[in-house]
Amino acid sequence: MGKAISKVSLDSLRKYPDPACDILIKALAAYHNQDSSKVFVGVGSDDVLAMSFLTFFNSERPVLFPDITYSFYDVWADLFRIPHEQMPLDEDFKIKASDYEKPCGGIVIPNPNAPTGVAEPVEFFEKIVAAHPECVVIIDEAYVDFGSQSCIGLTDKYDNVLVVRTFSKSRAMAGNRIGYAIGSPELIKYLSDCKFSFNSYTMDTITLAAGVASVEDDDYFKEK
Ligand SMILES: *Cc1c(COP(=O)(O)O)cnc(C)c1O
């Protein structure tokens, strides 16, 4: 990654970065065996998540997420005036699937949940996703690389699930600010439309190069 950064020429910083972040999207698509049309990148997963709230949570029904979870969800919901409801965990700090059966305006759940660290298997999320074809279910996989099952496979089967990832934890690149989402081409298109209406040039040239180098050096990533 250091090499990739030092190879970026100062001259290249005179120009705007690629707003489509093409090289990083291609690297991530290849890494996850997905089509590029299913990948969206943003400035950290906080950016991707906030953009997703803005893009997908427009219903009058409440968006559901756990009570004890990542502390930014209710901040964005309040900021964007999205009705929301937090569902309490059970006595073992687990998420109760039955809480997420009711009609709603969307769902967001980290897997593993943060800060509890409790993870659920893919089938747990598949039931929730399948029960809600009318809304978007976001699965925040910030800590998935530390040993839980990924739900990226669900994006091949369901067009209403968005899996959000970050380079900040398992890749130890929080300073670069790289996050991404994998979902159906429709969801990715809506997210991109929202991003391009907001600020097209979010990821800088140096970060794009560092991100590609990290994704391509998988031996190093797996060894650490
Ligand atoms: C750290 C974290 C994020 C944000 O990560 P960035 O990519 O650094 O913005 C999002 N969700 C959860 C659950 C996190 O722990």
Side-chain angles (χ1 to χ4, degrees):
M1 185 182 98
K3 245 188 257 158
I5 291 177
S6 64
K7 272 203 292 195
V8 175
S9 77
L10 289 181
D11 258 355
S12 72
L13 296 181
R14 292 178 200 274
K15 293 187 266 174
Y16 279 99
D18 171 19
C21 303
D22 202 39
I23 53 171
L24 184 55
I25 285 186
K26 285 214 172 89
L28 286 167
Y31 184 76
H32 289 294
N33 260 319
Q34 297 286 337
D35 194 81
S36 299
S37 62
K38 289 184 65 185
V39 184
F40 175 84
V41 299
V43 184
S45 57
D46 281 344
D47 180 46
V48 175
L49 286 162
M51 200 73 73
S52 303
F53 274 48
L54 187 60
T55 307
F56 301 122
F57 294 162
N58 308 306
S59 164
E60 312 219 314
R61 289 183 175 146
V63 167
L64 310 179
F65 46 91
D67 186 359
I68 307 189
T69 194
Y70 186 50
S71 55
F72 253 127
Y73 300 155
D74 64 335
V75 174
W76 292 316
D78 286 340
L79 177 65
F80 299 137
R81 297 179 174 80
I82 298 164
H84 54 100
E85 194 179 333
Q86 294 195 241
M87 316 311 285
L89 305 180
D90 72 11
E91 60 276 11
D92 296 322
F93 293 102
K94 286 171 78 85
I95 292 164
K96 289 179 276 178
S98 57
D99 283 347
Y100 297 85
E101 284 167 4
K102 60 181 176 186
C104 60
I107 292 173
V108 53
I109 301 178
N111 193 47
N113 193 10
T116 63
V118 178
E120 297 295 343
V122 174
E123 304 84 74
F124 176 96
F125 291 98
E126 178 158 14
K127 270 190 214 133
I128 293 176
V129 170
H132 289 288
E134 81 290 357
C135 68
V136 175
V137 178
I138 299 176
I139 303 167
D140 179 354
E141 293 191 339
Y143 297 97
V144 77
D145 290 322
F146 297 102
S148 329
Q149 292 180 10
S150 172
C151 287
I152 288 178
L154 293 182
T155 66
D156 294 328
K157 206 165 147 194
Y158 300 93
D159 60 11
N160 62 321
V161 59
L162 189 76
V163 176
V164 176
R165 295 267 192 119
T166 176
F167 279 42
S168 298
K169 314 289 161 61
S170 58
R171 290 184 186 274
M173 290 172 64
N176 284 107
R177 310 306 301 130
I178 304 177
Y180 62 105
I182 297 190
S184 62
E186 293 97 303
L187 293 191
I188 299 305
K189 184 185 178 302
Y190 293 136
L191 264 180
S192 300
D193 287 348
C194 183
K195 173 200 150 160
F196 286 127
S197 313
F198 198 85
N199 177 1
S200 310
Y201 302 106
T202 46
M203 196 171 297
D204 66 79
T205 304
I206 298 173
T207 296
L208 283 170
V212 171
S214 172
V215 175
E216 289 182 347
D217 194 355
D218 202 39
D219 291 341
Y220 176 83
F221 178 59
K222 297 236 161 85
E223 182 195 314
K224 291 288 156 178

